[in-house]
């Protein structure tokens, strides 16, 4: 690191302080580095003596009684700033890693054992990421069951949003964990290297003291000797303190998964909802009340998120007023939309519209028994005898509204139970936008229909009488 | 020696050093490093804090080499603080030493 870079990075980390104070500190450090260079050190050595720049900045801020975590957050308050600093950090980390690897290889500090150690650790990390996927499956499943409103097209949209939110979060978390791992790995490695250097230093010191005793000052040499012993003790310390932190960390991870993640998901979901509402408003449906309600909810859930974030990560000031604002907005929005909802007519069926339907015909052969799996309770499954068909053969007719969906069909054999399964399920044709348009048109007329039927399939199964006995409908 | 231990004593050593004579940052590091081996990064924040708490005054003096240097000078408040810490330290170290002596004898 050059002097300029060090000073500018330090300045950036101290940005909460007034310009005057900052300049004072920067000048001081500049002077120290220059002084050291005059005394025969290189710039790099002089900077390395200060230790980790983040720690240094934290210590300085503590001298002003500023919570270092808080200052960093308020500094990068905006999302863009956060992303930018994140990217910069990643880039710096990568640059430092490569720099280090090159220098390590050059100085032969890398041993085969160390490489193996890292490989094994990466392997463990990958397993941990796989295990971490399970709670996400669980959350995904829970969310799906909550969002199962049985009312199209809203349900499909909710499912798509929820799936995207959950798996994007998992992906981001995995990447973040990976970077944390790399950073930790580098830090421990650095510590090892400095340990080696420190040991060398103490040996040099010992030699010096021996020389001194030969010259004159016996007492001083004795006073210094205990320090050498003490030095070795400090080297062991960090590992102990790490172990002590382990249990609260697990607790934090659990809170993070159980509370923080759902709260983040809810917030993202609310922003999704806001964009949907704004889209509807642009399309001419006057649901300003709902917009206000959602903004109120965002206030409340963001604040809840802040509270849990404080528990897990760090302490910053907590406010109660967002709750109050949120409640006021929800009440106000609720009153505003009250009329709207009263005027809204809900029909639990499809409107009387002419829809194009299509019938697919399949012939399938099965062994032993055939189970027809009913995808939806609204599906109609009819069995019809047709003795012109051979044994163990079925002719299936599936009728559906091909304007909006296509259907999937699957014949599976369970070799273990020696049975066959036949299943039909609707596949959206990516005609969802067409359905959404219909939904919005209905809303304009203050009508809401349930388009669930649209996804239903009428199945008629033909088989000869003997074969029909082998068919079970779930 | 435990890091926290060192940090605790550091304030005492810095106060005593500056009480002896006014010093500039680098000079202080050299002085303090003679007694405890500590990360330099922790000394400047300490100086900053002691200045903020009005234990030190600072002034600039031209130097023969390079830019003017910032010197630290102890204030009356700082001297009081130093005496308090020196007292604490003597009592503390004496009692610990006595305890160790007794324990060793008893062994």
């Amino acid at each position: 690191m050059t002097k300029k870079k060090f000073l500018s990075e330090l300045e950036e980390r101290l940005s909460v302080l007034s310009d005057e104070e900052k300049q004072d500190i920067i000048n001081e450090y500049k002077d120290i580095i220059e002084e050291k260079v005059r005394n025969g050190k290189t710039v790099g050595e002089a900077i390395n003596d200060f230790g980790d720049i983040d720690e240094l900045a934290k210590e300085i801020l503590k001298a002003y009684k500023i919570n270092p975590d808080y200052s960093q957050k308020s500094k990068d308050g905006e999302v863009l700033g956060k992303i930018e600093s994140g990217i910069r950090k990643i880039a710096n980390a990568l640059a430092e890693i490569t720099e280090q690897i090159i220098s390590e290889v050059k100085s032969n500090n890398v041993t085969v054992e160390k490489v193996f150690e890292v490989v094994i650790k990466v392997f463990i990390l990958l397993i941990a990421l796989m295990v971490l996927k399970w709670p996400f499956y669980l959350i995904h499943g829970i969310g799906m069951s909550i969002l199962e409103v049985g009312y199209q097209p809203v349900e499909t949209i909710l499912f798509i949003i929820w799936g995207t939110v959950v798996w994007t979060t998992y992906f981001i978390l995995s990447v973040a964990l990976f970077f944390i791992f790399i950073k930790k790995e580098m830090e421990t490695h650095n510590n090892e290297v400095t340990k080696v250097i420190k040991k060398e230093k103490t040996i040099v010191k010992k030699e010096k003291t021996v020389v001194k005793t030969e010259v004159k000052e016996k007492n001083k040499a004795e006073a210094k000797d205990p320090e050498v012993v003490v030095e070795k003790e400090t080297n062991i310390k960090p590992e102990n303190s790490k172990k002590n932190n382990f249990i609260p960390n697990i607790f934090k991870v659990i809170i993070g998964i159980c509370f923080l993640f759902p709260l983040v998901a809810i917030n993202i979901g609310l922003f999704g909802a806001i964009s949907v509402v704004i889209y509807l408003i642009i399309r001419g449906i006057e649901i300003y009340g709902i917009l206000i309600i959602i903004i109120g909810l965002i206030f409340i859930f963001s604040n809840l998120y802040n509270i849990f974030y404080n528990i897990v990560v760090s302490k910053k000031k907590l406010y109660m007023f967002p709750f109050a604002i949120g409640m006021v907005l929800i009440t106000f929005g609720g009153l505003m939309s009250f009329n709207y909802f009263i005027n809204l007519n809900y029909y639990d069926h499809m409107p009387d519209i002419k829809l194009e339907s299509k019938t697919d015909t399949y012939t399938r052969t099965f062994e032993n028994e055939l189970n027809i799996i009913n995808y939806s309770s609204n599906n109609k499954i009819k069995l019809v005898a047709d003795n012109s068909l051979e044994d163990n053969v079925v002719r299936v007719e599936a009728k559906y509204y091909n304007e909006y969906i296509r259907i999937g069909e699957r014949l599976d054999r369970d070799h273990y139970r020696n049975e066959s399964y036949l299943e039909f399920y609707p596949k959206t044709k990516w005609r969802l936008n067409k359905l959404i348009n219909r939904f919005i048109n209905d809303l304009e007329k203050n009508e809401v229909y349930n388009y669930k039927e649209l996804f239903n399939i009428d199945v008629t199964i033909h088989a000869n009488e003997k074969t029909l006995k082998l068919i079970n409908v779930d | 020696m435990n890091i926290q231990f060192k940090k605790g004593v550091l304030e005492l050593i810095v106060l005593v050093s500056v009480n002896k004579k006014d010093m500039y940052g680098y000079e202080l590091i050299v002085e303090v490093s003679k007694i405890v081996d500590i990360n330099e990064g922790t000394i400047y924040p300490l100086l900053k804090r002691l200045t903020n708490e009005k234990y030190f005054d600072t002034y600039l003096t031209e130097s023969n080499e390079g830019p003017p240097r910032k010197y630290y000078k102890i204030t009356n408040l700082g001297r009081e603080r130093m005496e308090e810490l020196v007292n604490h330290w003597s009592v503390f170290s004496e009692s610990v030493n006595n305890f160790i002596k007794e324990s060793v004898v008893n062994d």
Side-chain angles (χ1 to χ4, degrees), chain A residues 18-287:
Chain A
S18 71
D19 284 348
E20 201 186 321
E21 285 285 1
K22 227 165 32 194
Q23 208 45 53
D24 191 40
I25 294 167
I26 296 302
N27 282 340
E28 176 100 39
Y29 279 81
K30 204 170 94 193
D31 291 349
I32 301 290
I33 293 170
E34 280 164 6
E35 191 92 27
K36 278 188 178 167
V37 171
R38 272 198 293 278
N39 282 290
K41 279 192 178 177
T42 67
V43 176
E45 282 170 345
I47 290 168
N48 277 341
D49 284 344
F50 296 131
D52 182 42
I53 189 164
D54 283 316
E55 282 300 314
L56 179 63
K58 268 189 191 170
E59 289 288 334
I60 294 173
L61 291 176
K62 264 190 209 159
Y64 286 90
K65 298 202 167 69
I66 292 169
N67 178 353
D69 293 324
Y70 179 72
S71 69
Q72 250 171 358
K73 253 155 246 153
S74 63
K75 183 191 88 188
D76 304 329
E78 291 150 59
V79 180
L80 270 182
K82 261 188 186 167
I83 293 169
E84 201 192 311
S85 73
I87 291 170
R88 209 181 309 141
K89 264 186 191 166
I90 292 168
N92 278 344
L94 282 177
E96 262 171 52
I97 292 166
T98 36
E99 219 170 83
Q100 208 178 350
I101 289 171
I102 291 167
S103 69
E104 292 294 299
V105 172
K106 269 184 191 161
S107 61
N108 273 337
N109 256 344
V110 178
T111 57
V112 181
E113 293 99 78
K114 222 169 249 170
V115 174
F116 265 116
E117 197 189 304
V118 172
V119 169
I120 290 170
K121 277 183 182 167
V122 168
F123 187 66
I124 292 172
L125 181 74
L126 289 178
I127 291 175
L129 287 181
M130 265 156 64
V131 172
L132 186 67
K133 208 167 177 181
W134 283 104
F136 278 87
Y137 274 125
L138 189 72
I139 291 163
H140 187 236
I142 293 172
M144 287 295 229
S145 60
I146 292 172
L147 297 176
E148 213 176 334
V149 289
Y151 161 55
Q152 295 293 356
V154 175
E155 194 178 271
T156 315
I157 297 170
L158 288 177
F159 281 0
I160 291 171
I161 292 178
W162 182 241
T164 318
V165 167
V166 171
W167 297 117
T168 317
T169 317
Y170 173 72
F171 176 73
I172 291 169
L173 195 69
S174 303
V175 173
L177 279 178
F178 205 78
F179 272 105
I180 291 170
F181 167 76
I182 288 173
K183 209 182 163 192
K184 276 260 162 74
E185 203 48 40
M186 267 173 54
E187 272 169 11
T188 49
H189 186 74
N190 279 345
N191 283 345
E192 271 165 29
V193 173
T194 47
K195 257 186 224 167
V196 174
I197 293 167
K198 262 192 183 170
K199 267 181 195 159
E200 279 166 9
K201 261 189 190 170
T202 50
I203 290 164
V204 173
K205 250 189 198 168
K206 245 189 179 173
E207 280 170 4
K208 267 187 191 168
T209 49
V210 171
V211 176
K212 270 186 185 170
T213 36
E214 279 176 2
V215 181
K216 256 194 234 164
E217 300 169 79
K218 264 191 175 174
N219 297 342
K220 249 195 185 172
E222 271 164 18
K224 282 226 165 157
D225 250 343
E227 200 193 322
V228 177
V229 180
V230 149
E231 198 67 52
K232 277 168 198 158
E233 281 171 9
T234 4
N235 290 342
I236 313 164
K237 229 264 149 177
E239 282 147 63
N240 283 341
S241 63
K242 238 180 216 169
K243 264 182 197 158
N244 289 341
N245 280 337
F246 189 64
I247 292 170
N249 277 347
I250 277 194
F251 179 63
K252 283 176 179 178
V253 168
I254 291 172
I255 293 191
I257 290 177
C258 295
F259 292 99
L260 271 191
F261 167 68
L263 283 170
V264 171
I266 287 171
N267 275 324
I268 296 174
L270 285 173
F271 278 105
I274 252 191
S275 23
V276 170
V277 169
I278 289 174
Y279 175 70
L280 289 178
I281 289 176
I282 292 171
R283 290 288 299 263
I285 295 152
E286 298 178 336
I287 42 174

Side-chain angles (χ1 to χ4, degrees), chain A residues 215-411:
Chain A
V215 181
K216 256 194 234 164
E217 300 169 79
K218 264 191 175 174
N219 297 342
K220 249 195 185 172
E222 271 164 18
K224 282 226 165 157
D225 250 343
E227 200 193 322
V228 177
V229 180
V230 149
E231 198 67 52
K232 277 168 198 158
E233 281 171 9
T234 4
N235 290 342
I236 313 164
K237 229 264 149 177
E239 282 147 63
N240 283 341
S241 63
K242 238 180 216 169
K243 264 182 197 158
N244 289 341
N245 280 337
F246 189 64
I247 292 170
N249 277 347
I250 277 194
F251 179 63
K252 283 176 179 178
V253 168
I254 291 172
I255 293 191
I257 290 177
C258 295
F259 292 99
L260 271 191
F261 167 68
L263 283 170
V264 171
I266 287 171
N267 275 324
I268 296 174
L270 285 173
F271 278 105
I274 252 191
S275 23
V276 170
V277 169
I278 289 174
Y279 175 70
L280 289 178
I281 289 176
I282 292 171
R283 290 288 299 263
I285 295 152
E286 298 178 336
I287 42 174
Y288 302 106
I290 297 175
L291 186 68
I292 292 171
I293 291 178
I294 295 175
I295 293 172
L297 287 174
I298 287 177
F299 264 100
I300 288 175
F301 281 106
S302 311
N303 206 36
L304 271 179
Y305 169 79
N306 272 351
I307 289 173
F308 279 104
Y309 185 85
N310 272 4
I311 296 172
V312 177
V313 186
S314 65
K315 288 189 180 80
K316 59 178 172 183
K317 257 194 178 168
L318 285 180
Y319 298 106
M320 279 298 135
F321 72 85
F323 282 125
I325 295 179
M327 294 310 283
V328 169
L329 286 177
I330 288 171
T331 324
F332 186 62
L335 289 173
M336 260 179 86
S337 18
F338 189 68
N339 252 354
Y340 182 79
F341 280 114
I342 278 192
N343 288 333
L344 212 59
N345 298 310
Y346 175 71
Y347 306 99
D348 198 16
H349 56 80
M350 285 214 297
D352 236 3
I353 41 168
K354 259 214 157 174
L355 284 173
E356 208 182 304
S357 65
K358 189 184 169 199
T359 309
D360 287 350
T361 313
Y362 317 89
T363 310
R364 293 282 181 267
T365 315
F366 66 94
E367 289 167 46
N368 300 316
E369 274 181 56
L370 180 70
N371 296 305
I372 311 290
I373 294 171
N374 201 348
Y375 176 82
S376 150
S377 58
N378 283 27
N379 284 0
K380 286 171 204 141
I381 295 178
K382 233 183 348 188
L383 296 176
V384 175
D386 181 352
N387 284 328
S388 68
L389 286 165
E390 284 173 39
D391 284 357
N392 284 19
V393 170
V394 286
R395 199 180 77 239
V396 181
E397 285 171 9
K399 193 178 162 208
Y400 56 93
Y401 297 112
N402 69 320
E403 219 183 305
Y404 290 94
I405 59 164
R406 59 200 171 94
I407 60 171
E409 170 252 6
R410 194 159 48 209
L411 181 72

Side-chain angles (χ1 to χ4, degrees), chain B residues 54-96:
Chain B
K54 303 269 187 292
Y55 296 146
F56 286 160
D57 267 343
T58 59
Y59 61 90
L60 289 175
T61 302
E62 292 295 330
S63 79
N64 302 331
E65 23 187 337
R69 282 173 178 148
K70 189 159 125 187
Y71 275 80
Y72 293 88
K73 178 188 172 69
I74 200 160
T75 61
N76 285 335
L77 196 68
R79 217 163 276 129
E80 275 170 31
R81 173 74 175 157
M82 181 193 79
E83 275 155 19
E84 187 190 333
L85 283 180
V86 168
N87 253 338
H88 282 322
W89 173 255
S90 327
V91 173
F92 176 69
S93 61
E94 198 181 329
S95 60
V96 172

Side-chain angles (χ1 to χ4, degrees), chain B residues 2-106:
Chain B
N2 180 304
I3 289 278
Q4 290 305 323
F5 219 69
K6 276 187 190 175
K7 274 190 184 168
V9 183
L10 193 61
E11 184 177 343
L12 173 63
I13 294 170
V14 168
L15 281 165
V16 172
S17 304
V18 178
N19 185 42
K20 210 158 54 182
K21 72 177 198 356
D22 297 356
M23 284 187 177
Y24 59 96
Y26 181 70
E27 206 181 357
L28 246 168
I29 288 187
V30 176
E31 180 84 10
V32 171
S33 308
K34 282 184 200 158
I35 309 153
V36 281
D37 179 29
I38 190 150
N39 183 351
E40 288 173 17
T42 52
I43 296 184
Y44 304 109
L46 176 68
L47 285 175
K48 203 73 227 171
R49 183 167 65 80
L50 293 176
T51 311
N52 287 347
E53 287 174 4
K54 303 269 187 292
Y55 296 146
F56 286 160
D57 267 343
T58 59
Y59 61 90
L60 289 175
T61 302
E62 292 295 330
S63 79
N64 302 331
E65 23 187 337
R69 282 173 178 148
K70 189 159 125 187
Y71 275 80
Y72 293 88
K73 178 188 172 69
I74 200 160
T75 61
N76 285 335
L77 196 68
R79 217 163 276 129
E80 275 170 31
R81 173 74 175 157
M82 181 193 79
E83 275 155 19
E84 187 190 333
L85 283 180
V86 168
N87 253 338
H88 282 322
W89 173 255
S90 327
V91 173
F92 176 69
S93 61
E94 198 181 329
S95 60
V96 172
N97 280 336
N98 283 339
F99 173 71
I100 293 171
K101 252 183 228 160
E102 278 167 28
S103 306
V104 172
V105 169
N106 288 344

